[in-house]
Amino acid sequence: MSRGGAHFISFEGGEGAGKTTQIKLLGEHLRNAGHEVVITREPGGTPDAEIVRDIALNGEPGRWSAVEEMLLMYTARSQLVRTVIRPALDRGAWVLSDRFADSTLVYQGYAGGVDPDDVRKLHALVLGDFNPDITFIMDIAPDNGMRRVHSRAEVLNQFELRDDAFYVRARSAYLDIAAQEPERCAVINATQSPEAVADDILQVIIERTGTKP
Ligand code: TMP
């Protein structure tokens, strides 16, 4: 998808994969190079969508069915795309999103039990063929990622309380999506040092955009 000078990049992966750190590092790099950068996250990124985040993530596992979670995520996503992401891309900005639609496909679809084709149909209904230009799949073994989460979080959200099998399904679903869509997705070894991960990410951006930002 050509967007002129604008770029939409999403960061995906299991819990504790270091997405947020890498978005911050890439954002600083791009801003230092003189680009407008918009950093956002999902669910969230607008005041209303942050309210959706609060009700979707907090409470007991099982508070929402997987279908209800999917609808919450797409309600928030629709508003975020309409009011933040598309306008930023229209201005020529780099948009970096901490999670996007692959999270729904993985967490509510492949790992959560909603038919992945139904998730794709809802995506088409809400957003058509709107998707990131590049998606980084930050890959880490679930037990390793969860160790990182436990070492930093005081209160775990309802996704961080799911059983190990859920995270194992999620990891393999991410790797399957990356294999199915190699032009969009790049798998990054998230167990490396933050500096090494950042180097890998920049290398992919240079290769895929054809410019050194
Ligand atoms: P995180 O931003 O700390 O990764 O937490 C967000 C949580 O929400 C994470 O466990 C994944 C989950 N999630 C979904 O289940 N579906 C979605 O569509 C999105 C965006 C997130």
Side-chain angles (χ1 to χ4, degrees):
M1 196 177 287
S2 170
R3 302 189 203 276
H7 301 273
F8 178 27
I9 302 181
S10 63
F11 289 73
E12 296 279 357
E15 332 297 308
K19 295 178 277 95
T20 312
T21 304
Q22 290 304 321
I23 288 172
K24 197 163 158 270
L25 290 173
L26 179 60
E28 277 165 13
H29 177 96
L30 293 169
R31 280 185 184 128
N32 289 340
H35 299 286
E36 183 193 344
V37 178
V38 172
I39 292 178
T40 190
R41 70 170 180 180
E42 283 220 288
T46 71
D48 292 331
E50 289 292 327
I51 294 170
V52 174
R53 180 184 181 91
D54 188 37
I55 60 173
L57 267 56
N58 295 319
E60 293 300 307
R63 175 185 185 184
W64 304 103
S65 73
V67 167
E68 290 158 2
E69 281 174 5
M70 170 180 75
L71 295 172
L72 287 170
M73 299 298 172
Y74 267 95
T75 302
R77 179 166 303 135
S78 176
Q79 193 198 48
L80 177 68
V81 169
R82 178 172 57 81
T83 64
V84 175
I85 297 180
R86 278 195 200 272
L89 294 172
D90 289 345
R91 293 194 303 271
W94 288 72
V95 177
L96 312 182
S97 187
D98 194 334
R99 299 192 180 278
F100 195 65
D102 295 301
S103 284
T104 316
L105 197 51
V106 167
Y107 282 75
Q108 282 67 53
Y110 290 102
V114 181
D115 184 336
D117 283 340
D118 287 340
V119 183
R120 291 191 178 95
K121 278 184 204 149
L122 182 62
H123 184 95
L125 174 73
V126 177
L127 293 178
D129 64 357
F130 184 82
N131 268 306
D133 307 309
I134 303 175
T135 295
F136 289 107
I137 310 270
M138 309 287 288
D139 185 51
I140 188 167
D143 53 348
N144 193 354
M146 284 314 288
R147 261 198 302 279
R148 293 185 183 182
V149 169
H150 283 281
S151 69
R152 71 167 184 228
E154 285 169 19
V155 181
L156 299 182
N157 72 43
Q158 62 107 343
F159 288 98
E160 292 160 345
L161 292 168
R162 301 210 173 177
D163 61 20
D164 295 348
F166 181 88
Y167 303 119
V168 171
R169 287 198 298 280
R171 184 194 196 188
S172 79
Y174 271 126
L175 295 176
D176 286 350
I177 291 170
Q180 285 160 20
E181 294 184 64
E183 326 72 37
R184 175 172 69 87
C185 300
V187 179
I188 301 290
N189 173 2
T191 61
Q192 307 173 88
S193 69
E195 296 74 22
V197 172
D199 282 350
D200 283 2
I201 286 172
L202 202 54
Q203 202 50 46
V204 171
I205 290 176
I206 292 167
E207 280 163 19
R208 305 238 173 145
T209 64
T211 51
K212 191 169 186 306

